[in-house]
Amino acid sequence: METPRPTRRATVLAAACALLSAGCGSTGSSGAGPAGERLELVNCGQPVVLRTPPERVVLLKSAAVPYLHELGVLDRVVARAGLYPQEYYDEATRRELDAVPLLTDRTDTSGHLRISREVVLAQRPDLVLGEVDGLDRASLAASGIALLEEPALCTSGGGDPGFDTVYEQVELYGRVFERPERAAEVAGRLRERVEAVRERVAASGAPPRTAAVLYPTVGGGVTYAYGAASTATPQLEAAGLRNVFADVADRVFEVTPEELLARDPQVLVLLHSDGTPERVREAVTSLPGADGLTAVRGGDVLVQLFNFTEPATPLAVDGLERIVDAFGPPAASGTAAGAS
Protein backbone atom coordinates (compact mmCIF):
# COMPACT_ATOMS: atom_id res chain seq x y z
CA MET A 1 0.00 0.00 0.00
CA GLU A 2 1.31 3.43 -0.90
CA THR A 3 1.22 5.95 1.94
CA PRO A 4 1.51 9.70 1.34
CA ARG A 5 4.55 11.20 -0.24
CA PRO A 6 4.62 14.76 -1.60
CA THR A 7 4.62 14.59 -5.41
CA ARG A 8 3.67 16.81 -8.33
CA ARG A 9 1.54 15.25 -11.04
CA ALA A 10 1.83 15.91 -14.73
CA THR A 11 -0.24 14.93 -17.74
CA VAL A 12 0.89 12.21 -20.10
CA LEU A 13 3.38 13.72 -22.50
CA ALA A 14 2.20 13.64 -26.07
CA ALA A 15 5.79 13.39 -27.17
CA ALA A 16 6.03 9.96 -25.56
CA CYS A 17 3.78 8.61 -28.28
CA ALA A 18 6.55 9.20 -30.78
CA LEU A 19 8.51 6.45 -29.03
CA LEU A 20 5.99 3.87 -30.15
CA SER A 21 5.13 2.36 -33.49
CA ALA A 22 1.46 3.25 -33.15
CA GLY A 23 -0.61 6.08 -31.68
CA CYS A 24 -1.40 6.37 -27.98
CA GLY A 25 -4.88 6.26 -26.56
CA SER A 26 -5.90 8.01 -23.36
CA THR A 27 -4.55 5.09 -21.36
CA GLY A 28 -1.19 5.31 -23.06
CA SER A 29 -1.55 2.06 -25.03
CA SER A 30 -0.32 1.66 -28.58
CA GLY A 31 -2.92 -0.97 -29.38
CA ALA A 32 -2.00 -4.63 -29.34
CA GLY A 33 -1.28 -6.72 -32.38
CA PRO A 34 -2.53 -10.29 -32.87
CA ALA A 35 -2.60 -12.57 -29.84
CA GLY A 36 0.86 -13.56 -28.68
CA GLU A 37 2.63 -10.53 -30.17
CA ARG A 38 4.28 -7.93 -27.99
CA LEU A 39 2.26 -5.06 -26.54
CA GLU A 40 3.68 -1.55 -26.51
CA LEU A 41 2.46 0.87 -23.83
CA VAL A 42 3.29 4.18 -22.23
CA ASN A 43 3.17 4.07 -18.44
CA CYS A 44 4.08 7.06 -16.26
CA GLY A 45 5.32 8.73 -19.43
CA GLN A 46 7.76 5.88 -20.16
CA PRO A 47 7.61 3.28 -22.95
CA VAL A 48 6.90 -0.29 -21.80
CA VAL A 49 7.05 -3.40 -23.96
CA LEU A 50 5.75 -6.74 -22.70
CA ARG A 51 4.52 -10.04 -24.01
CA THR A 52 0.83 -10.75 -23.68
CA PRO A 53 -0.57 -12.25 -21.67
CA PRO A 54 1.84 -12.29 -18.70
CA GLU A 55 1.99 -15.63 -16.91
CA ARG A 56 4.11 -14.75 -13.84
CA VAL A 57 3.09 -11.52 -12.10
CA VAL A 58 4.53 -10.11 -8.88
CA LEU A 59 2.51 -7.53 -6.92
CA LEU A 60 4.46 -4.90 -5.00
CA LYS A 61 1.36 -2.80 -4.23
CA SER A 62 -2.23 -3.75 -3.58
CA ALA A 63 -3.83 -1.27 -5.99
CA ALA A 64 -4.09 -3.68 -8.94
CA VAL A 65 -5.84 -6.45 -7.01
CA PRO A 66 -9.45 -5.39 -7.79
CA TYR A 67 -8.66 -5.14 -11.51
CA LEU A 68 -7.03 -8.57 -11.65
CA HIS A 69 -9.83 -10.19 -9.67
CA GLU A 70 -12.56 -8.73 -11.88
CA LEU A 71 -10.71 -9.85 -15.01
CA GLY A 72 -10.26 -13.36 -13.60
CA VAL A 73 -6.46 -13.29 -13.79
CA LEU A 74 -5.46 -13.02 -10.13
CA ASP A 75 -4.23 -16.60 -10.44
CA ARG A 76 -1.40 -15.26 -12.65
CA VAL A 77 0.11 -13.62 -9.55
CA VAL A 78 2.91 -15.84 -8.26
CA ALA A 79 3.95 -13.65 -5.31
CA ARG A 80 2.99 -10.45 -3.52
CA ALA A 81 4.62 -8.03 -1.11
CA GLY A 82 3.23 -5.22 1.02
CA LEU A 83 -0.06 -4.79 2.90
CA TYR A 84 -3.38 -6.23 1.73
CA PRO A 85 -6.04 -5.29 4.31
CA GLN A 86 -8.88 -7.80 4.39
CA GLU A 87 -11.45 -4.99 4.55
CA TYR A 88 -10.80 -4.12 0.91
CA TYR A 89 -11.92 -7.41 -0.54
CA ASP A 90 -14.91 -9.68 -0.82
CA GLU A 91 -14.64 -13.30 0.24
CA ALA A 92 -13.76 -14.56 -3.24
CA THR A 93 -10.91 -12.07 -3.62
CA ARG A 94 -9.60 -12.87 -0.15
CA ARG A 95 -9.47 -16.56 -1.02
CA GLU A 96 -7.51 -15.82 -4.19
CA LEU A 97 -5.07 -13.56 -2.33
CA ASP A 98 -4.57 -16.08 0.46
CA ALA A 99 -3.33 -18.54 -2.16
CA VAL A 100 -0.58 -16.13 -3.27
CA PRO A 101 2.67 -16.38 -1.25
CA LEU A 102 3.55 -13.20 0.67
CA LEU A 103 7.22 -12.31 0.24
CA THR A 104 7.25 -9.59 2.91
CA ASP A 105 5.09 -6.92 4.47
CA ARG A 106 8.08 -5.08 5.94
CA THR A 107 7.94 -1.31 5.56
CA ASP A 108 10.13 1.61 6.57
CA THR A 109 9.15 4.35 9.04
CA SER A 110 7.22 6.20 6.33
CA GLY A 111 5.21 3.10 5.45
CA HIS A 112 6.96 2.29 2.15
CA LEU A 113 7.73 -1.32 1.23
CA ARG A 114 11.26 -2.61 1.77
CA ILE A 115 12.16 -5.53 -0.49
CA SER A 116 15.35 -6.53 -2.28
CA ARG A 117 15.72 -6.85 -6.02
CA GLU A 118 17.05 -10.39 -5.59
CA VAL A 119 13.89 -11.56 -3.80
CA VAL A 120 11.70 -10.29 -6.63
CA LEU A 121 13.94 -11.66 -9.40
CA ALA A 122 13.87 -15.08 -7.75
CA GLN A 123 10.16 -15.28 -8.64
CA ARG A 124 11.06 -15.10 -12.37
CA PRO A 125 8.29 -12.57 -13.14
CA ASP A 126 7.45 -11.37 -16.62
CA LEU A 127 5.49 -8.43 -15.13
CA VAL A 128 5.77 -6.49 -11.87
CA LEU A 129 2.87 -4.30 -10.74
CA GLY A 130 3.84 -1.37 -8.51
CA GLU A 131 7.08 0.56 -8.22
CA VAL A 132 8.93 0.80 -4.90
CA ASP A 133 12.13 2.41 -3.65
CA GLY A 134 15.20 0.49 -4.76
CA LEU A 135 13.26 -1.53 -7.33
CA ASP A 136 12.28 0.84 -10.09
CA ARG A 137 11.41 0.46 -13.75
CA ALA A 138 14.99 0.81 -14.98
CA SER A 139 16.46 -1.80 -12.63
CA LEU A 140 13.79 -4.34 -13.62
CA ALA A 141 14.12 -3.56 -17.33
CA ALA A 142 17.81 -4.41 -17.08
CA SER A 143 16.67 -7.95 -16.24
CA GLY A 144 14.08 -8.02 -19.00
CA ILE A 145 11.10 -7.52 -16.67
CA ALA A 146 8.31 -5.05 -17.43
CA LEU A 147 6.79 -2.84 -14.72
CA LEU A 148 3.42 -1.10 -14.65
CA GLU A 149 2.39 1.49 -12.06
CA GLU A 150 -1.10 2.79 -11.40
CA PRO A 151 -1.40 6.14 -13.27
CA ALA A 152 -2.51 8.00 -10.13
CA LEU A 153 0.72 6.95 -8.37
CA CYS A 154 3.05 8.09 -11.16
CA THR A 155 5.38 10.90 -10.14
CA SER A 156 5.00 12.22 -13.70
CA GLY A 157 3.08 11.29 -16.82
CA GLY A 158 0.17 9.83 -14.89
CA GLY A 159 -2.68 11.70 -16.52
CA ASP A 160 -6.04 12.58 -14.99
CA PRO A 161 -6.64 11.29 -11.42
CA GLY A 162 -10.39 10.92 -11.82
CA PHE A 163 -12.76 8.04 -12.50
CA ASP A 164 -12.06 8.01 -16.24
CA THR A 165 -8.62 6.68 -15.29
CA VAL A 166 -10.29 3.77 -13.48
CA TYR A 167 -12.29 2.79 -16.56
CA GLU A 168 -9.28 3.20 -18.85
CA GLN A 169 -7.03 1.19 -16.54
CA VAL A 170 -9.51 -1.69 -16.51
CA GLU A 171 -9.41 -1.71 -20.30
CA LEU A 172 -5.61 -1.46 -20.28
CA TYR A 173 -5.34 -4.54 -18.08
CA GLY A 174 -7.85 -6.19 -20.39
CA ARG A 175 -5.42 -5.72 -23.27
CA VAL A 176 -2.42 -6.78 -21.19
CA PHE A 177 -4.10 -10.05 -20.19
CA GLU A 178 -6.08 -10.46 -23.43
CA ARG A 179 -9.47 -10.06 -21.74
CA PRO A 180 -10.80 -6.99 -23.62
CA GLU A 181 -14.48 -8.00 -23.65
CA ARG A 182 -14.54 -8.77 -19.94
CA ALA A 183 -12.69 -5.51 -19.25
CA ALA A 184 -15.32 -3.54 -21.16
CA GLU A 185 -18.05 -5.14 -19.04
CA VAL A 186 -16.21 -4.34 -15.80
CA ALA A 187 -15.60 -0.74 -16.88
CA GLY A 188 -19.26 -0.38 -17.77
CA ARG A 189 -20.42 -1.57 -14.35
CA LEU A 190 -18.02 0.80 -12.58
CA ARG A 191 -19.18 3.72 -14.73
CA GLU A 192 -22.82 2.93 -13.93
CA ARG A 193 -22.08 2.98 -10.19
CA VAL A 194 -20.35 6.37 -10.36
CA GLU A 195 -23.12 7.83 -12.51
CA ALA A 196 -25.73 6.53 -10.06
CA VAL A 197 -24.02 8.48 -7.28
CA ARG A 198 -23.84 11.62 -9.43
CA GLU A 199 -27.54 11.35 -10.27
CA ARG A 200 -28.41 10.81 -6.63
CA VAL A 201 -26.47 13.95 -5.65
CA ALA A 202 -27.89 16.04 -8.52
CA ALA A 203 -31.46 14.99 -7.74
CA SER A 204 -31.14 16.26 -4.18
CA GLY A 205 -30.52 19.83 -5.33
CA ALA A 206 -28.43 20.41 -2.20
CA PRO A 207 -25.55 22.92 -2.46
CA PRO A 208 -22.10 21.33 -2.13
CA ARG A 209 -20.52 21.34 1.31
CA THR A 210 -16.80 21.89 1.78
CA ALA A 211 -14.54 18.97 2.64
CA ALA A 212 -10.93 17.93 3.12
CA VAL A 213 -9.25 14.56 2.73
CA LEU A 214 -6.39 14.09 5.19
CA TYR A 215 -3.83 11.42 6.04
CA PRO A 216 -2.91 12.03 9.69
CA THR A 217 0.11 10.48 11.36
CA VAL A 218 -1.13 8.25 14.17
CA GLY A 219 0.70 8.99 17.41
CA GLY A 220 1.64 12.52 16.41
CA GLY A 221 3.53 14.01 13.49
CA VAL A 222 2.81 15.37 10.04
CA THR A 223 -0.73 15.69 8.68
CA TYR A 224 -1.06 15.35 4.92
CA ALA A 225 -3.83 16.80 2.75
CA TYR A 226 -4.86 15.92 -0.81
CA GLY A 227 -5.07 18.54 -3.53
CA ALA A 228 -6.12 18.98 -7.16
CA ALA A 229 -3.91 16.21 -8.57
CA SER A 230 -5.34 13.56 -6.24
CA THR A 231 -8.24 11.20 -6.74
CA ALA A 232 -9.69 12.76 -3.59
CA THR A 233 -10.79 15.88 -5.47
CA PRO A 234 -12.95 14.23 -8.19
CA GLN A 235 -14.20 11.73 -5.61
CA LEU A 236 -15.45 14.54 -3.37
CA GLU A 237 -16.99 16.35 -6.34
CA ALA A 238 -18.91 13.23 -7.37
CA ALA A 239 -20.21 12.98 -3.79
CA GLY A 240 -21.47 16.57 -3.89
CA LEU A 241 -18.60 18.01 -1.84
CA ARG A 242 -15.95 20.62 -2.64
CA ASN A 243 -12.32 20.02 -1.71
CA VAL A 244 -11.05 23.06 0.22
CA PHE A 245 -7.54 22.20 -1.02
CA ALA A 246 -8.52 21.93 -4.70
CA ASP A 247 -6.52 25.11 -5.37
CA VAL A 248 -3.29 23.27 -4.44
CA ALA A 249 -1.76 21.67 -7.53
CA ASP A 250 0.00 18.84 -5.70
CA ARG A 251 -1.44 15.38 -5.15
CA VAL A 252 -0.46 15.26 -1.47
CA PHE A 253 1.31 17.75 0.77
CA GLU A 254 1.90 18.64 4.40
CA VAL A 255 -0.71 20.86 6.03
CA THR A 256 -0.50 22.73 9.33
CA PRO A 257 -3.30 22.93 11.89
CA GLU A 258 -3.44 26.66 11.23
CA GLU A 259 -4.06 26.14 7.51
CA LEU A 260 -6.70 23.52 8.20
CA LEU A 261 -8.48 25.85 10.59
CA ALA A 262 -8.31 28.70 8.09
CA ARG A 263 -10.01 26.57 5.42
CA ASP A 264 -12.45 25.08 7.97
CA PRO A 265 -14.00 22.19 5.99
CA GLN A 266 -17.51 21.12 6.90
CA VAL A 267 -16.64 17.46 6.27
CA LEU A 268 -13.44 15.48 6.92
CA VAL A 269 -12.42 12.20 5.29
CA LEU A 270 -9.46 10.68 7.12
CA LEU A 271 -7.37 8.04 5.35
CA HIS A 272 -5.14 5.47 7.00
CA SER A 273 -3.20 2.29 6.32
CA ASP A 274 -2.62 1.31 9.94
CA GLY A 275 -4.01 2.14 13.36
CA THR A 276 -7.61 1.83 14.49
CA PRO A 277 -10.24 4.27 13.21
CA GLU A 278 -10.47 5.69 16.74
CA ARG A 279 -6.73 6.49 16.84
CA VAL A 280 -6.83 7.96 13.34
CA ARG A 281 -9.71 10.22 14.31
CA GLU A 282 -7.89 11.21 17.50
CA ALA A 283 -4.80 12.16 15.48
CA VAL A 284 -6.87 14.98 13.96
CA THR A 285 -9.21 15.89 16.80
CA SER A 286 -6.20 16.31 19.11
CA LEU A 287 -4.53 18.87 16.82
CA PRO A 288 -4.28 22.37 18.32
CA GLY A 289 -7.56 24.18 17.72
CA ALA A 290 -9.24 21.15 16.13
CA ASP A 291 -12.32 21.62 18.32
CA GLY A 292 -12.94 24.80 16.32
CA LEU A 293 -13.30 22.90 13.03
CA THR A 294 -16.85 22.81 11.71
CA ALA A 295 -16.47 19.13 10.73
CA VAL A 296 -15.29 18.15 14.20
CA ARG A 297 -17.98 20.16 15.99
CA GLY A 298 -20.67 18.59 13.81
CA GLY A 299 -19.24 15.08 13.99
CA ASP A 300 -18.95 14.93 10.19
CA VAL A 301 -15.77 12.85 10.12
CA LEU A 302 -15.37 9.61 8.14
CA VAL A 303 -12.34 7.33 8.62
CA GLN A 304 -11.58 4.91 5.82
CA LEU A 305 -8.65 2.87 4.54
CA PHE A 306 -6.28 4.59 2.14
CA ASN A 307 -7.17 2.74 -1.08
CA PHE A 308 -10.83 3.67 -0.75
CA THR A 309 -9.71 7.09 -2.02
CA GLU A 310 -6.18 6.81 -3.37
CA PRO A 311 -5.21 5.91 -6.06
CA ALA A 312 -7.90 5.80 -8.78
CA THR A 313 -8.94 2.13 -8.78
CA PRO A 314 -12.24 0.26 -8.38
CA LEU A 315 -11.77 0.63 -4.61
CA ALA A 316 -12.15 4.41 -5.07
CA VAL A 317 -15.64 3.70 -6.43
CA ASP A 318 -16.38 1.79 -3.22
CA GLY A 319 -14.99 4.76 -1.29
CA LEU A 320 -17.20 7.19 -3.21
CA GLU A 321 -20.28 5.22 -2.20
CA ARG A 322 -19.10 5.22 1.43
CA ILE A 323 -18.66 8.99 1.37
CA VAL A 324 -22.04 9.76 -0.18
CA ASP A 325 -23.75 7.36 2.23
CA ALA A 326 -22.07 9.17 5.14
CA PHE A 327 -22.54 12.77 3.98
CA GLY A 328 -24.67 12.87 0.87
CA PRO A 329 -28.42 12.82 0.19
CA PRO A 330 -30.45 9.71 1.09
CA ALA A 331 -30.54 6.97 -1.51
CA ALA A 332 -33.70 6.82 -3.60
CA SER A 333 -36.26 4.19 -2.63
CA GLY A 334 -35.18 0.81 -3.93
CA THR A 335 -31.55 1.86 -4.42
CA ALA A 336 -29.05 -0.28 -2.61
CA ALA A 337 -26.80 1.63 -0.25
CA GLY A 338 -23.05 1.25 -0.54
CA ALA A 339 -20.73 0.02 2.21
CA SER A 340 -20.62 2.12 5.32
Side-chain angles (χ1 to χ4, degrees):
M1 186 175 311
E2 182 72 1
T3 50
R5 171 179 296 171
T7 59
R8 184 170 295 276
R9 296 285 309 282
T11 57
V12 175
L13 300 177
C17 294
L19 296 170
L20 305 178
S21 59
C24 294
S26 58
T27 60
S29 170
S30 69
E37 291 190 3
R38 73 179 192 175
L39 182 67
E40 296 178 331
L41 313 168
V42 171
N43 180 242
C44 297
Q46 300 296 316
V48 178
V49 178
L50 67 158
R51 296 182 183 278
T52 58
E55 296 292 340
R56 296 187 62 82
V57 180
V58 170
L59 286 175
L60 298 185
K61 291 178 184 173
S62 62
V65 169
Y67 294 119
L68 304 187
H69 170 72
E70 291 294 337
L71 292 177
V73 295
L74 198 52
D75 59 350
R76 309 283 182 89
V77 178
V78 297
R80 59 190 171 102
L83 301 175
Y84 297 80
Q86 296 288 293
E87 297 93 327
Y88 284 142
Y89 312 118
D90 60 20
E91 184 177 350
T93 306
R94 287 196 293 268
R95 283 199 305 267
E96 289 181 283
L97 271 178
D98 288 344
V100 178
L102 179 67
L103 300 176
T104 179
D105 58 3
R106 185 170 63 94
T107 60
D108 61 19
T109 56
S110 62
H112 293 94
L113 179 67
R114 308 305 300 170
I115 189 170
S116 72
R117 182 172 179 270
E118 290 71 26
V119 168
V120 174
L121 293 183
Q123 303 304 313
R124 297 180 290 108
D126 47 19
L127 177 63
V128 170
L129 297 179
E131 188 170 4
V132 299
D133 291 341
L135 195 65
D136 59 14
R137 190 184 308 275
S139 65
L140 288 170
S143 298
I145 301 168
L147 180 143
L148 291 176
E149 178 63 284
E150 296 304 312
L153 295 179
C154 295
T155 56
S156 64
D160 183 87
F163 290 105
D164 284 346
T165 292
V166 179
Y167 317 141
E168 292 166 0
Q169 193 71 357
V170 171
E171 293 173 348
L172 175 65
Y173 282 127
R175 286 190 289 275
V176 168
F177 291 97
E178 293 187 342
R179 301 286 178 91
E181 294 179 358
R182 186 160 180 172
E185 294 173 0
V186 173
R189 291 197 299 270
L190 290 167
R191 186 179 285 106
E192 288 173 359
R193 289 170 60 191
V194 173
E195 290 309 309
V197 169
R198 294 186 192 277
E199 291 171 7
R200 173 176 162 186
V201 169
S204 74
R209 290 195 288 171
T210 60
V213 176
L214 307 177
Y215 191 108
T217 300
V218 175
V222 174
T223 299
Y224 295 94
Y226 289 83
S230 70
T231 303
T233 295
Q235 185 183 59
L236 290 176
E237 290 173 353
L241 302 167
R242 181 176 59 82
N243 187 358
V244 296
F245 292 108
D247 61 334
V248 180
D250 294 329
R251 171 178 170 257
V252 59
F253 50 92
E254 296 181 15
V255 65
T256 65
E258 293 77 13
E259 179 69 9
L260 186 58
L261 282 165
R263 305 225 178 192
D264 192 23
Q266 296 169 296
V267 165
L268 284 175
V269 178
L270 308 183
L271 306 181
H272 70 108
S273 55
D274 56 14
T276 64
E278 293 75 18
R279 292 196 67 201
V280 174
R281 185 187 300 265
E282 183 183 359
V284 170
T285 58
S286 63
L287 291 172
D291 55 355
L293 289 169
T294 299
V296 173
R297 291 200 311 269
D300 290 323
V301 180
L302 174 67
V303 180
Q304 65 182 15
L305 284 164
F306 181 67
N307 285 162
F308 283 129
T309 291
E310 288 282 324
T313 72
L315 288 177
V317 178
D318 295 341
L320 167 64
E321 292 169 340
R322 287 169 172 256
I323 291 170
V324 78
D325 283 344
F327 305 120
S333 176
T335 301
S340 61

